[in-house]
Amino acid sequence: MSTVALAMRDSGAMLRRDFTHSKRNLMMTISGIATPVFMMLLFAGVFGGAIGPQGIDYIDFLAPGSSSCRQEPVRRPPP
């Protein structure tokens, strides 16, 4: 097998494993999606008009920051 084929096979196995874990632990999946959305709404409401120079919207900086928090969750090793 080529290197690309091995990488695709391994990626498929990891994707199936992650979906299986997500189905088994639904609350963790929901909280992982809801937390960045809630934080973005909270910070946009609280700090939306309070900071930033004129002509630049705070949400332009908040949305990419919130999405980057979701992309790389911290996983603790098992005890």
Side-chain angles (χ1 to χ4, degrees):
M1 290 185 128
S2 70
T3 306
V4 175
L6 288 173
M8 292 300 289
R9 186 184 70 180
D10 291 345
S11 297
M14 291 302 294
L15 188 63
R16 280 190 304 276
R17 185 180 299 172
D18 282 343
F19 280 140
T20 302
H21 286 285
S22 295
K23 285 191 295 187
R24 289 181 185 162
N25 196 354
L26 190 58
M27 282 308 296
M28 187 171 162
T29 303
I30 291 171
S31 68
I33 293 169
T35 300
V37 171
F38 177 72
M39 295 300 286
M40 186 170 75
L41 292 174
L42 178 70
F43 280 115
V46 172
F47 298 121
I51 60 174
Q54 297 298 328
I56 298 176
D57 289 332
Y58 179 64
I59 196 74
D60 292 339
F61 297 98
L62 185 63
S66 178
S67 65
S68 67
C69 288
R70 176 64 191 125
Q71 289 174 0
E72 193 59 40
V74 177
R75 295 188 182 186
R76 294 184 200 162

